[in-house]
Amino acid sequence: MDELDREILSQLQIDGRATMTDVAQKVGLSLSACHRRFRDLEASGVIQGFSVDLDLDLLGLPFEALVFVTMRAGDGNAVAAFESAVAKIPNVVQAHRLFGEPDYQLFVAVESKQHYQTLYDQQLSLLPGVQRLTSTLVMKTVVDHHAPI
């Protein structure tokens, strides 16, 4: 991957709906050269697909929390059971397994503080293998998810 590939990726991160013509013009390539590089980036797996960024506030999910999960045990069965169960909770927007303590970080979006309490009491605290949950509320997003290109 060279600097032109990185610039193509950067442009697509800024606007995933940009036409290949627009991207080619912005990076200074012909349309065919830009399209070839794009196909190569897809074939290599660097580009894994396209998605839509949704505004959680406008979707009626303005209450965001980070939930840190400490597990009782870290064996394969406990990890698999937890990860399978947490993946089925729609309000868990993102989940990461971490090195060290805590074991997981969950990003949760719900309608309100009351909805969060219900989710916490009726689903999160009952996840298999959980020893402790610690929550903190998101004040605002300063940097959106992006790859450092």
Side-chain angles (χ1 to χ4, degrees), residues 3 93 114 129:
E3 200 55 41
V93 177
Q114 293 77 20

Side-chain angles (χ1 to χ4, degrees), residues 124-136:
L124 298 177
S125 65
L126 301 177
L127 286 165
V130 171
Q131 176 182 342
R132 184 176 69 244
L133 298 173
T134 306
S135 301
T136 188

Side-chain angles (χ1 to χ4, degrees), residues 9-104:
L9 294 172
S10 180
Q11 292 300 319
L12 290 171
Q13 275 195 135
I14 293 167
D15 181 5
R17 293 184 61 163
T19 66
M20 200 52 54
T21 302
D22 291 338
V23 173
Q25 287 175 347
K26 288 180 180 174
V27 301
L29 287 174
S30 69
L31 177 58
S32 60
C34 187
H35 197 257
R36 180 183 46 76
R37 284 175 175 265
F38 175 81
R39 282 194 316 269
D40 290 345
L41 289 165
E42 279 185 310
S44 70
V46 172
I47 297 175
Q48 297 181 350
F50 287 85
S51 61
V52 176
D53 289 330
L54 303 175
D55 187 312
L56 294 172
D57 288 341
L58 295 177
L59 287 172
L61 302 167
F63 192 89
E64 300 172 12
L66 295 175
V67 181
F68 300 96
V69 180
T70 301
M71 302 291 288
R72 277 193 289 285
D75 63 88
N77 290 335
V79 166
F82 173 82
E83 290 179 2
S84 175
V86 79
K88 294 175 183 167
I89 302 174
N91 292 91
V92 175
V93 177
Q94 195 171 50
H96 297 282
R97 186 171 179 195
L98 307 174
F99 283 108
E101 291 280 333
D103 298 300
Y104 290 90

Side-chain angles (χ1 to χ4, degrees), residues 100-126:
E101 291 280 333
D103 298 300
Y104 290 90
Q105 175 187 304
L106 312 178
F107 178 61
V108 173
V110 293
E111 294 90 341
S112 66
K113 180 172 56 175
Q114 293 77 20
H115 285 95
Y116 179 69
Q117 180 182 352
T118 301
L119 177 73
Y120 187 98
D121 293 343
Q122 295 178 5
Q123 293 184 50
L124 298 177
S125 65
L126 301 177

